[in-house]
Amino acid sequence: MSVKFAVLGHGVVGSGVVELFYKNKKSIEKRAGTEMDIKYILDLRDFPDSPYQDKFTKDFNDILNDDEVTAVAECMGGVEPAFTFVSACLSKGKSVSTSNKELVAEKGDILLRIAKENNCNFFFEASVGGAIPIIRPLHRCLAANDIEKVAGILNGTTNFILTKMYNDNMPFADALKLAQELGYAEKDPTADIEGHDACRKICIISSLVFGRHVYPKSVFTKGISQVELCDVAAADVLGHAIKLIASVRRMDNGKILPVVMPSLISYENILSGVTDVFNAVLVYGDGIDQAMFYGRGAGKLPTASAVLGDVIEAVKHKVTVFSQSWESASDDSFIESHKKLAARWYFRVPAGTDVPEGSYEHENGISFITENVMTLEAAEAEASKLGALAMYPVFE
Amino acid sequence: MSVKFAVLGHGVVGSGVVELFYKNKKSIEKRAGTEMDIKYILDLRDFPDSPYQDKFTKDFNDILNDDEVTAVAECMGGVEPAFTFVSACLSKGKSVSTSNKELVAEKGDILLRIAKENNCNFFFEASVGGAIPIIRPLHRCLAANDIEKVAGILNGTTNFILTKMYNDNMPFADALKLAQELGYAEKDPTADIEGHDACRKICIISSLVFGRHVYPKSVFTKGISQVELCDVAAADVLGHAIKLIASVRRMDNGKILPVVMPSLISYENILSGVTDVFNAVLVYGDGIDQAMFYGRGAGKLPTASAVLGDVIEAVKHKVTVFSQSWESASDDSFIESHKKLAARWYFRVPAGTDVPEGSYEHENGISFITENVMTLEAAEAEASKLGALAMYPVFE
C-alpha cells in the first residue's frame, strides 16, 4: 500500500519538500518502510512550469475530505489560515508536520491536544533550527536527563549580521543591507532583528522541555539593532563574541526564565564559534553535562529536510507520540521576571569612570565585565550609577 | 503495569545507569509512559555498599529466564561474554541497549538480525559519541537526506592530548601522561591513541548510513602517536587545527571510503573548535548541507544518559525499529582502498626544499598545504620525492 500525503503551501519550504521528496523517494520509502507519494499540493497561485501539475489544488477540502491522505506537511506560515487547516486535518486523524514556528508558538498546546484526541501526531521539528534535529533529540534521546538550561543561536539573519560586524568591522546598517541583498533578511526585517523570530523558537523549546505552553508575549525579548561595532570589538578583546542568545533556564524556585538578548559568550564556549547564517542549540542536562546541535537554521532544502523527516515519522507512527507534547498554561505565573536574570555583565562606561582592573579602554569609552554575578535589576541600577553606554549579560 | 529491566555490568557505565535512573525515575517514567524499575544488576563482583543489594545477581540466567524482564542495558564491554548474553536476550524477545562499541562494530549485523527475528530492538546510541545523540538523528531526523559524508572527532582521549599539545605546547608523551593521571586514558592507551576506538565508532556510523556491515579490519587507521608539536604549531600558522578525524564518504563509483587519520581542519570549520575531551560528529547531506552534533563522548553519566534514553525507547517501541539496521557484508569489496583518498595535503619538508608561495618556514623545516587535491597514493609519491618529514590530509 502506498501512503499518500499532501503539502500545504508551495512557497520556499513547500516547494523544497516536493523537490527533496522526489529526489530521494526511493531511500525515503525504504526508511519509512512503505511506498509513499504526494497526492496534493495546496496553493492559491498557479505554477504552470511545475512538473507536478496534476497534484495542485486551490481547495483545501480536496485534501481534508480525501481519506487516502493520512499525512500533511504544512508549509504556509502564519497563524491563519494555517491553524484552521491544521486543526481540521488533525481532527480527521491526519498527522501534520509543520515548519511554522508562529503556529506552534501561539497554538501548539491546542494542536497537540487535538492530535492526541484523534490518535495522530502534530510534529514540528522544522519550526526550530531548520535542518537541525533538536525537537526529537530533546524529548527522546535526552529523555533520561533532567534538563536545566537550553540556549541557542536560533536566528540565522541576526547571526549573519553579527558575524559581518565582527569579521569585517561592518556597521549594523550595512550588514543588514547586505543580508537583505543576499536574501537572508526580509524587506521588513523587524521579526528577525528585534528578536521576535528567536523568541518564538525559544517558546517552543521551553514548552517542550518544561511541559507548559510559553507564549511569546511572556518572554523578555531584545534584538540586535542597538549593538554597536565598538562593543563587538571590545568584547573580542575581553575574550568574548556577542551573539543573539535565546535561552531558558529553571530557577531555584521552580519557575522558568526564558529570555532573548544579545549576550557575550566566552571563546571557551563552543557556541561562540557558530558564525554566518548557522544556528545552534546548546542543552544542559544532569546526565549529559552539555550537548550542542548545529546546522542551517533556515533555507529551502534544510527546512524541507526537517519537514520530510517528520512526515516519515508520522507514516511510521500509527499512534500519538505522547512525549512530544505539553500542557496548556492558564497564566504565566510559572515564568520568572526577566529582572531576576542573574549573570556577570559587560558594561561600557565613559572615559574617566572608575573601573576595575582588566578593563579595556578604547575611543568609545571603557569596557569591562563584572567579576560578580548580579541580577538584571541590580545591573540596571549599577549601569545608571556608572552612566553606562552599553550593557549586556555574559552567557554562562 | 511496571516495566522491569536489567543492567548487565556494574562498572563505570552500568553504575551510572542505575544512578541516573533512580535520580530521574519520575520524569523518565513520564516520558516512557509507564512505571519502570530495575529488577536485576548483573556483576560477578560484590558491592556491599550499594543501596540496591537486593537487585544484584551473579547468574545471567536469573535475568534470561525471568519473563518479567523485557529490556536489558548491556554495559559490560568487550565482545564476550557480551555477545552470548545479548544474543540470548534478543532471542527471547528482550530488547537490548548497549554502550559497547566493540560488540556493535564486530557483531552488529548479527544482533540486529536476531532482534528483527524476535520482534524486539537492539539499540546502541551510547556506542558512538557517548552522550551525543547521533545514531537516532542519523536514521530518523535526517531520513529525508541522501547522506554523502560523515566525519567526527570520536575519541575524547586523543582530542584531549591534541588540545594540550595545541594550547600548552605540551609534547605528546607529557599530554598522554596527564590524560592517564586524569583518568581520561587507560594504563595501556593503545586503543585510544592508535585510533582503534575511533575506528570502531566510524564502522558503526558507516554501517548505519550506508547499510552494510563495515568491520574494523577493513578501515585504514592511523593514530596520533606520531604527531609532533612543530606540526601542530605550523598547522595553526596555516589556519588549521590538527584533529584525529574518523570519516566515511561515498565515492563516485558507489564504494565507500572510511578512514581514521590525524587531519588538518580549517578554523572556518566548526569541528576545529571541538576541544578537550569533547566529541562531535559532522554530517553532510543533500537536504541539510551540514549538521553537527557535539557533546561528551565518554564518562559515567553522559554514557549512562544515552543507554537509558535507549531503554526508554525500547520500552515505548513494541516492534522492531527497522530503519536502525543494516545488512551483513559477505566481503569488503564495497570499501574503497584508502590509497584513493583525495585531499589537499599538509607537508613538512626539510629547509632548502623548493616550496610553493605561502609556505611557513620554521626551525623544524618548511610547512605548506598543497593547492591541488591529490590521492593519498599520489601524495605519498610526492612526499617521497620531497623527502617530506610529515604529511597529513586536509579534511574538507
Side-chain angles (χ1 to χ4, degrees):
Chain A
M1 200 202 74
S2 172
V3 170
K4 299 288 194 294
F5 71 104
V7 181
L8 310 187
H10 198 252
V12 173
V13 176
S15 65
V17 168
V18 176
E19 178 184 332
L20 194 62
F21 175 74
Y22 284 110
K23 181 164 187 284
N24 296 335
K25 187 166 184 286
K26 231 172 118 178
S27 63
I28 287 172
E29 289 174 330
K30 200 175 157 204
R31 286 174 188 138
T34 176
E35 283 181 29
M36 288 174 67
D37 208 352
I38 296 173
K39 187 161 183 183
Y40 299 101
I41 303 169
L42 178 74
D43 206 296
L44 294 177
R45 296 165 292 179
D46 291 307
F47 296 88
D49 298 331
S50 165
Y52 307 108
Q53 280 313 318
D54 56 317
K55 302 183 190 299
F56 279 92
T57 175
K58 296 180 184 186
D59 185 357
F60 170 67
N61 289 311
D62 286 350
I63 295 165
L64 185 66
N65 297 325
D66 188 333
D67 290 342
E68 210 191 8
V69 173
T70 55
V72 172
E74 188 276 302
C75 310
M76 300 188 297
V79 174
E80 281 297 352
F83 177 64
T84 303
F85 288 1
V86 171
S87 307
C89 288
L90 294 171
S91 297
K92 284 216 162 191
K94 299 179 200 291
S95 288
V96 176
S97 306
T98 187
S99 58
N100 186 336
K101 56 220 166 212
E102 267 180 278
L103 179 66
V104 186
E106 294 293 348
K107 304 285 187 185
D109 56 335
I110 301 170
L111 295 170
L112 285 163
R113 197 178 58 231
I114 301 176
K116 204 169 163 186
E117 287 165 1
N118 293 279
N119 208 30
C120 60
N121 280 293
F122 178 57
F123 286 150
F124 45 88
E125 183 65 76
S127 69
V128 182
I132 310 171
I134 174 65
I135 299 299
R136 193 159 295 115
L138 268 176
H139 73 96
R140 300 195 87 129
C141 311
L142 306 180
N145 283 263
D146 184 26
I147 295 175
E148 301 131 21
K149 187 166 66 169
V150 182
I153 294 171
L154 296 177
N155 179 269
T157 309
T158 45
N159 207 42
F160 175 82
I161 291 172
L162 291 171
T163 302
K164 281 287 152 193
M165 292 174 75
Y166 177 82
N167 281 350
D168 303 336
N169 207 34
M170 191 184 280
F172 173 80
D174 296 357
L176 171 58
K177 203 167 150 241
L178 180 61
Q180 287 171 318
E181 282 165 15
L182 292 171
Y184 295 152
E186 311 269 336
K187 209 171 151 189
D188 175 0
T190 314
D192 287 326
I193 64 171
E194 296 306 341
H196 306 317
D197 175 76
C199 173
R200 288 177 196 129
K201 292 166 179 169
I202 199 69
C203 284
I204 298 170
I205 288 176
S206 302
S207 304
L208 180 65
V209 170
F210 297 106
R212 275 199 276 187
H213 196 100
V214 175
Y215 290 97
K217 64 180 163 53
S218 309
V219 179
F220 178 76
T221 299
K222 218 175 140 188
I224 64 162
S225 55
Q226 307 302 317
V227 175
E228 293 184 49
L229 272 183
C230 66
D231 291 314
V232 172
D236 176 43
V237 173
L238 298 170
H240 293 71
I242 296 186
K243 298 282 180 188
L244 183 64
I245 298 292
S247 67
V248 60
R249 67 196 78 203
R250 198 184 46 227
M251 311 294 281
D252 289 339
N253 63 8
K255 294 186 181 187
I256 65 167
L257 176 46
V259 290
V260 178
M261 289 174 83
S263 309
L264 272 71
I265 312 261
S266 160
Y267 289 141
E268 308 273 299
N269 188 312
I270 183 96
L271 265 187
S272 68
V274 177
T275 58
D276 210 69
V277 294
F278 283 88
N279 285 16
V281 182
L282 191 53
V283 182
Y284 297 80
D286 60 348
I288 54 167
D289 179 25
Q290 52 176 275
M292 188 180 84
F293 305 84
Y294 161 96
R296 289 199 178 269
K300 182 176 181 170
L301 293 185
T303 310
S305 158
V307 173
L308 265 179
D310 273 353
V311 172
I312 296 167
E313 281 292 300
V315 165
K316 286 161 75 175
H317 284 84
K318 310 288 177 207
V319 296
T320 309
V321 177
F322 51 83
S323 64
Q324 180 171 323
S325 148
W326 58 80
E327 303 295 319
S328 297
S330 52
D331 60 39
D332 62 4
S333 61
F334 65 105
I335 296 177
E336 183 60 275
S337 160
H338 69 279
K339 291 193 180 296
K340 302 294 181 198
L341 178 75
R344 293 189 301 138
W345 295 83
Y346 166 92
F347 286 117
R348 175 161 53 91
V349 295
T353 310
D354 189 24
V355 291
E357 252 183 90
S359 298
Y360 167 57
E361 186 153 8
H362 49 93
E363 64 182 13
N364 297 97
I366 316 177
S367 295
F368 65 95
I369 292 171
T370 64
E371 199 182 321
N372 295 329
V373 169
M374 55 184 126
T375 62
L376 187 142
E377 203 165 19
E380 276 179 343
E382 182 74 9
S384 161
K385 204 174 78 187
L386 294 169
L389 306 163
M391 126 179 198
Y392 298 108
V394 178
F395 177 81
E396 271 158 332
Chain B
M1 200 202 73
S2 172
V3 170
K4 299 290 194 294
F5 71 103
V7 182
L8 311 187
H10 198 253
V12 174
V13 177
S15 64
V17 168
V18 176
E19 178 184 331
L20 194 62
F21 175 74
Y22 284 110
K23 181 165 188 283
N24 296 335
K25 187 167 184 286
K26 232 172 116 177
S27 62
I28 287 172
E29 288 174 330
K30 201 174 156 204
R31 287 176 188 136
T34 176
E35 284 182 29
M36 288 174 67
D37 208 352
I38 296 173
K39 188 161 181 182
Y40 300 101
I41 303 169
L42 178 74
D43 206 296
L44 293 178
R45 296 166 293 179
D46 291 308
F47 296 88
D49 298 333
S50 166
Y52 307 110
Q53 279 313 317
D54 55 319
K55 301 183 190 300
F56 279 91
T57 174
K58 295 180 184 184
D59 185 357
F60 169 67
N61 289 310
D62 287 350
I63 296 164
L64 185 66
N65 297 325
D66 188 334
D67 290 342
E68 211 191 7
V69 174
T70 55
V72 172
E74 187 275 303
C75 311
M76 300 188 297
V79 175
E80 281 297 352
F83 178 64
T84 303
F85 289 0
V86 171
S87 308
C89 288
L90 295 170
S91 296
K92 283 215 164 191
K94 299 178 199 295
S95 288
V96 176
S97 307
T98 187
S99 58
N100 186 336
K101 57 220 167 215
E102 267 180 278
L103 179 67
V104 186
E106 294 293 347
K107 304 285 187 184
D109 56 336
I110 300 170
L111 295 169
L112 286 163
R113 196 179 60 231
I114 300 176
K116 203 170 165 187
E117 288 165 1
N118 292 279
N119 207 31
C120 60
N121 280 294
F122 178 57
F123 286 150
F124 46 88
E125 183 66 75
S127 69
V128 181
I132 311 170
I134 174 65
I135 298 299
R136 193 158 294 113
L138 267 177
H139 74 97
R140 300 194 87 130
C141 311
L142 306 180
N145 283 263
D146 184 25
I147 295 175
E148 300 131 22
K149 186 166 67 170
V150 181
I153 294 171
L154 296 176
N155 179 270
T157 309
T158 46
N159 206 42
F160 174 83
I161 292 171
L162 291 170
T163 302
K164 280 287 152 193
M165 291 174 75
Y166 176 82
N167 281 351
D168 303 336
N169 206 35
M170 191 183 281
F172 172 82
D174 296 357
L176 170 59
K177 203 167 150 242
L178 180 61
Q180 286 171 319
E181 282 164 16
L182 292 171
Y184 295 153
E186 311 269 336
K187 208 170 150 191
D188 175 359
T190 313
D192 288 325
I193 64 171
E194 296 306 342
H196 305 317
D197 175 76
C199 172
R200 288 178 195 127
K201 293 166 178 168
I202 199 67
C203 283
I204 297 171
I205 289 176
S206 303
S207 303
L208 181 66
V209 170
F210 297 107
R212 275 199 276 187
H213 196 100
V214 175
Y215 290 96
K217 64 181 163 53
S218 308
V219 178
F220 179 75
T221 299
K222 218 176 142 186
I224 65 161
S225 56
Q226 308 301 317
V227 175
E228 292 184 49
L229 271 182
C230 65
D231 291 313
V232 172
D236 176 43
V237 173
L238 299 170
H240 293 70
I242 296 187
K243 298 283 182 188
L244 183 64
I245 298 292
S247 68
V248 61
R249 67 197 76 204
R250 199 184 44 228
M251 311 294 281
D252 289 339
N253 63 8
K255 294 187 182 187
I256 65 169
L257 177 46
V259 289
V260 178
M261 288 174 86
S263 309
L264 272 71
I265 313 262
S266 161
Y267 289 141
E268 308 273 300
N269 188 312
I270 182 94
L271 266 188
S272 68
V274 176
T275 57
D276 210 69
V277 294
F278 282 89
N279 284 17
V281 182
L282 191 53
V283 182
Y284 296 80
D286 59 350
I288 54 168
D289 180 23
Q290 53 176 273
M292 187 180 83
F293 305 84
Y294 162 97
R296 290 199 178 268
K300 182 177 179 168
L301 292 185
T303 311
S305 159
V307 173
L308 266 178
D310 273 354
V311 172
I312 296 167
E313 281 292 300
V315 165
K316 287 161 73 176
H317 283 84
K318 311 288 179 207
V319 296
T320 308
V321 177
F322 50 84
S323 63
Q324 180 172 321
S325 146
W326 58 79
E327 303 295 320
S328 296
S330 52
D331 59 39
D332 62 3
S333 61
F334 64 105
I335 296 177
E336 183 61 275
S337 160
H338 69 279
K339 292 194 177 298
K340 303 292 180 199
L341 178 75
R344 293 188 303 137
W345 295 82
Y346 166 93
F347 286 117
R348 175 161 55 89
V349 296
T353 310
D354 189 25
V355 292
E357 252 184 271
S359 299
Y360 167 58
E361 186 152 7
H362 50 93
E363 62 181 14
N364 297 96
I366 316 176
S367 295
F368 66 94
I369 293 172
T370 64
E371 198 182 323
N372 296 329
V373 169
M374 55 184 125
T375 61
L376 187 142
E377 203 164 20
E380 277 179 343
E382 182 74 9
S384 160
K385 206 174 76 189
L386 294 168
L389 306 163
M391 129 180 194
Y392 298 108
V394 178
F395 178 80
E396 272 160 330

